[in-house]
Structures are given as C-alpha cells and as structure tokens.
Amino acid sequence: MVRRPVAWVVAVVLFVEALGVAALNWILGEVVHRQRMSLAGTDPDVVSTSSKVAALVFGLYFAVCGLVALLVAIRGRRPAGFGRILLISAAVVHGLLAALVVGPVGWKAFVFLIVVLALIVLLLMTYDPVEAPAGAGPGGTGPQDAGPGGTPAEGGRPEGGGPAAGPVVPPAGAS
C-alpha cells in the first residue's frame, strides 16, 4: 500500500539526482579543462578526464538505482538480490554524503540527502502483505493440495509430488 508511491518518488528523485550529479561533474571537468587548472601539480587533463569519468560512473550508478526503484514501483514487489544491494548501497552513500556536505555546502543539502536516505530506507523496509489465494487454509494449503472431501491428496503428498506437510509414515510391513 505504501511501497508503490514511495518507490515512484524514489525512482524520480534518483533519476533527477543521476542527471544532476553527472551534469555537475561534467561541467567541473570542462571548467578544469578550459582553465587549465592544476591540483597540487597534477596534469589538468588528468583532472578533467577523471571528473568526466566520475560523471559517467556516478550518473549511471544513480540511474541504475532509480531503475531498481522504478521496477519496484511497477511490479509492486520488494527489491531482491542485486537490486536490494544497490538500494542499500545508495542509502549508505546518501548517509555519508549528508555527513560530508553539512559543513561545506550547508543544511539544505544535508536535509535533501537525509530525506532521500529516509525514502530509500522506507522503500526497503515497507512490507505489503501478500494476500493469500482464495480458499487457502491457515496452513497456506489451497484447494489444489486437497483431495476429495478436503483431505490431502493420495499418499499424503500434494499433487505436485513435493513432500507432505507432515511426517511420512512407511506402509505397514515395510522394513
């Protein structure tokens, strides 16, 4: 109920952030290149190129995280596997960036990063209960697992051939 709207918001924010971070790093790389700026004697071309590479890497990183959030919004299911790891890493990155920018950039940037962090954590922690299929009993067995009269199918096993819900008792006389 809550996860889909939060996932839509997280996806939009991460896509905008991907564009913003990529544009900022790319512009800084261009400024360094055109001004021939050097940082402690380093080659200006190296600084410019590394800034542009960072633009591509971080832009793609946040865009992929936004894609994961978009898939959560569309599917309505929790992120799993690699997507969950990406969102957790994005939350950690936002927490670290918030701690680092509060001094040099200001409280507005800190609050923005903390809000994004909170949205990502909310997306990861919300649980939408999955409704049981119609006719399912308290043990999670539905009518497909029952035989005639509501009893388990022959042999004490569901029709899928999987293990029975209870212990398997060998037939009498078997050793």
Side-chain angles (χ1 to χ4, degrees), residues 130-152:
V130 178
E131 294 182 19
T141 59
Q144 71 275 9
D145 295 337
T151 60

Side-chain angles (χ1 to χ4, degrees), residues 148-160:
T151 60
E154 282 188 46
R157 297 182 185 275
E159 289 179 349

